[in-house]
């Protein structure tokens, strides 16, 4: 298995988990913030997709899927186009309300497809290219890609956990 094939497989995992988490979910469970202060499933999945979209767009030099495909209008969240939820307060999280889980899945799927399209032509040399020297050690393109996928995977794991908290009858596979 090549590095690209491995990254492609990893990039698909968060969207697969989202499908399980969102299956049959109620609007209340989707938007409920445990104890009124912790991230909702809607926010976790939105943020997982947004952070990956922003970072992959930066790497590729392409427009974000968020604006290029009109997801910003579909979600209608009244946020800056570059905002992906980093540093959100509980009040900010509460403003990410989604009535249709298919909207979250659709956006995450679109970001995943764009990520895979970006990954396919990359060579080993491309993955080894240093893209950020402000860190010690400097960050390579491959490390940044792994970081975006890892962040998405962690947030989807959190979403699965929150689904169990807010909907006790849920017994998903994750």
């Amino acid at each position: 298995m090549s590095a690209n094939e491995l990254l492609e497989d990893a990039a698909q995992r968060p969207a697969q988990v989202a499908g399980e988490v969102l299956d049959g979910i109620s609007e209340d469970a989707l938007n409920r913030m445990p104890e009124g202060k912790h991230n909702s499933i809607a926010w976790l999945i939105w943020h997982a997709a947004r952070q990956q979209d922003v970072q992959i767009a930066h790497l590729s030099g392409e427009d974000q899927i968020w604006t290029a495909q009109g997801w910003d209008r579909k979600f209608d969240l009244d946020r800056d186009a570059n905002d992906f939820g980093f540093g959100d307060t509980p009040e900010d999280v509460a403003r990410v309300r989604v009535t249709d889980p298919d909207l979250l899945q659709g956006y995450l799927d679109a970001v995943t497809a764009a990520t895979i399209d970006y990954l396919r032509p990359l060579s080993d040399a491309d993955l080894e290219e240093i893209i950020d020297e402000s860190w010690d050690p400097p960050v390579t393109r491959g490390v940044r890609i792994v970081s975006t996928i890892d962040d998405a995977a962690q947030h989807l794991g959190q979403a699965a956990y929150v689904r169990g908290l807010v909907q006790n009858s849920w017994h998903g596979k994750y």
Side-chain angles (χ1 to χ4, degrees):
M1 177 177 269
S2 72
N4 290 48
E5 291 169 329
L6 190 62
L7 289 170
E8 286 180 36
D9 182 69
Q12 294 176 55
R13 302 289 177 101
Q16 293 168 353
V17 173
E20 181 76 18
V21 170
L22 295 171
D23 185 38
I25 196 168
S26 69
E27 184 179 338
D28 175 64
L30 184 62
N31 292 288
R32 189 174 321 149
M33 295 171 60
E35 297 180 5
K37 62 183 177 181
H38 301 290
N39 296 333
S40 67
I41 294 167
W43 185 92
L44 287 162
I45 296 174
W46 169 81
H47 172 70
R50 286 294 298 129
Q51 66 79 27
Q52 189 163 345
D53 188 6
V54 168
Q55 294 188 73
I56 296 298
H58 178 74
L59 289 173
S60 69
E62 299 291 327
D63 291 335
Q64 295 177 33
I65 299 304
W66 183 246
T67 52
Q69 294 184 8
W71 293 99
D72 58 334
R73 291 186 309 279
K74 294 173 189 174
F75 276 81
D76 192 29
L77 296 178
D78 191 31
R79 294 179 91 124
D80 181 84
N82 292 311
D83 184 356
F84 57 93
F86 183 74
D88 272 7
T89 65
E91 294 77 25
D92 296 327
V93 170
R95 285 192 290 275
V96 177
R97 299 236 2 126
V98 177
T99 58
D100 183 1
D102 290 341
L103 186 65
L104 289 162
Q105 186 72 57
Y107 177 50
L108 183 56
D109 288 346
V111 169
T112 300
T115 299
I116 290 169
D117 286 346
Y118 171 68
L119 291 171
R120 284 203 172 122
L122 295 179
S123 67
D124 288 348
D126 292 329
L127 294 172
E128 293 169 7
E129 178 187 359
I130 294 174
I131 60 163
D132 188 347
E133 294 189 16
S134 67
W135 295 90
D136 185 20
V139 177
T140 64
R141 182 178 311 278
V143 166
R144 180 61 50 82
I145 292 165
V146 168
S147 175
T148 68
I149 294 168
D150 179 55
D151 191 273
Q154 288 187 47
H155 286 304
L156 265 297
Q158 292 167 347
Y161 179 76
V162 172
R163 173 97 192 243
L165 286 177
V166 301
Q167 196 171 352
N168 289 343
S169 63
W170 183 70
H171 297 290
K173 87 187 207 195
Y174 298 101

